[in-house]
Amino acid sequence: MTQPSPDNRDPAELIEQVEELGPERTALDRLVARGARGAAWLVLIAMGISVVEVFLRYGFNSPTSWVHESVVFLVAVTFALGGPAALARNSHIRVKVLYDSAGPRLKCWMDRFNDLVTLGFCLTMSYAAFHMFWRASHNPLGEWQLERSGTSWNPPFPALVKGMILFALALMTLQALLHLVQSIRARPAAPAPQDEETR
């Protein structure tokens, strides 16, 4: 029985293998990365209802009052969830000039410092997002009242988007805390053994 050569393997099988070896650091990161793949479909839904709006507006001269705000809401939710997804997949933008030239021990300390700064940033932003969501979900008397868009349709999307931002930042705070604990427990990688010729 012959095994398939690497060039003849099914693309779906290759994608599954790559996803299994993903850069996620914790079980929470793996859960967030899976959820992000599901949330990415919101962009397709936003595109679909935009196409329906164009068809109704220009084909039947019957524009809707809900499509624009729905599309903005879906894209805003997708954007907010991009933060936890990027942190989970370790795919945020960074400059690694110093990191790549550092030794294993210094890299370990740089990882700890980076995770500590990330945790501080996420905590601060979560605090600000909490106050932003509180003002969007409560009236001046402290009673529950969601902020609305003020249009003819008037959905509570502004409050819901702010709630999603708070959720995303709280999730990032938990991720950053787990990353910091992991990097504190980590030990510097042992240097690679040198060959006899390079000694």
Side-chain angles (χ1 to χ4, degrees), residues 43-183:
V43 176
L44 184 64
I45 294 169
M47 190 250 344
I49 62 176
S50 295
V51 169
V52 168
E53 167 68 7
V54 169
F55 185 69
L56 290 174
R57 178 181 297 259
Y58 297 106
F60 294 96
N61 196 24
S62 179
T64 64
S65 61
W66 58 272
V67 167
H68 176 72
E69 288 179 285
S70 299
V71 168
V72 170
F73 172 71
L74 291 172
V75 172
V77 167
T78 307
F79 184 79
L81 294 176
L87 192 57
R89 305 272 310 163
N90 199 24
S91 59
H92 43 282
I93 298 171
R94 59 186 165 195
V95 179
K96 292 177 37 172
V97 175
L98 294 176
Y99 187 82
D100 287 345
S101 62
R105 187 172 177 80
L106 182 57
K107 279 185 180 178
C108 191
W109 281 103
M110 290 172 84
D111 287 338
R112 292 170 182 166
F113 177 74
N114 181 56
D115 290 337
L116 182 63
V117 170
T118 302
L119 177 60
F121 173 79
C122 290
L123 275 171
T124 305
M125 294 300 290
S126 294
Y127 177 77
F130 172 77
H131 285 286
M132 181 176 68
F133 176 66
W134 180 268
R135 287 192 300 272
S137 61
H138 292 77
N139 64 21
L141 298 175
E143 298 167 344
W144 181 261
Q145 183 178 356
L146 294 179
E147 177 185 0
R148 295 183 171 270
S149 65
T151 62
S152 60
W153 187 36
N154 203 27
F157 287 164
L160 296 179
V161 167
K162 291 171 185 175
M164 188 56 65
I165 291 170
L166 173 60
F167 169 76
L169 285 166
L171 185 56
M172 288 178 71
T173 301
L174 182 56
Q175 288 174 274
L177 177 63
L178 294 175
H179 290 180
L180 179 61
V181 169
Q182 189 181 55
S183 63

